[in-house]
Amino acid sequence: MTRQVLVPIDDSNPARAALEHALTVFDPETAVSVIHVVDDLESGYGGGPTADDHEPAFFDDVETRAADRHLETQVVEGTPADAILEYVDEHGIDQIVMGSEGRAGVSRMLLGSVAENVTRRASVPVTIVPHER
């Protein structure tokens, strides 16, 4: 029985689809952790915020969608796949539910697919949720 699910999220439609999937498939007793990873490579070169900055605005939408659930939100810093896998190990996560894609453009081509990287390296089951186009 899955007791703790992790949903890595950004402000993308596939990430929102993953959250909806987790909230629909898992019973209300299942704790859901939602993390947003601030890529330390991008923030280090001035390309974005750091984990110390305020929580992203889309966390408000996450909390609204999961109002009847035990939900934790957190911003973490690191290389996305590494940060997700580290969170899994440190927080006793039983399953990961994530969108099929998040990044777009050159960043995705250079860094590869976070979902693929997590799936290959995870020690727990990973559900990849496709986004309807």
Side-chain angles (χ1 to χ4, degrees):
M1 174 166 106
T2 300
R3 303 184 74 200
Q4 181 76 23
V5 174
L6 174 64
V7 183
I9 193 166
D10 57 16
D11 195 19
S12 69
N13 288 330
R16 284 191 274 291
L19 177 63
E20 287 299 321
H21 180 80
L23 295 175
T24 302
V25 170
F26 295 99
D27 65 64
E29 299 300 314
T30 301
V32 178
S33 295
V34 179
I35 64 168
H36 174 68
V37 179
V38 175
D39 191 331
D40 57 0
L41 291 176
E42 290 179 7
S43 63
Y45 288 104
T50 66
D52 294 332
D53 294 334
H54 64 279
E55 288 190 350
F58 57 81
F59 271 0
D60 291 339
D61 183 50
V62 167
E63 291 170 355
T64 299
R65 290 174 187 246
D68 61 339
R69 302 291 295 257
H70 173 72
L71 181 79
E72 293 182 19
T73 59
Q74 185 174 353
V75 177
V76 298
E77 191 168 339
T79 305
D82 292 340
I84 291 165
L85 295 169
E86 185 176 308
Y87 190 94
V88 166
D89 291 340
E90 292 176 357
H91 292 88
I93 300 297
D94 298 307
Q95 183 158 354
I96 303 167
V97 178
M98 62 189 303
S100 58
E101 57 189 75
R103 293 183 186 277
V106 175
S107 178
R108 182 163 189 241
M109 288 188 299
L110 292 175
L111 297 175
S113 169
V114 174
E116 180 180 351
N117 198 343
V118 168
T119 300
R120 288 179 187 267
R121 297 172 45 209
S123 59
V124 298
V126 180
T127 300
I128 304 297
V129 179
H131 158 63
E132 290 185 28
R133 298 190 191 277

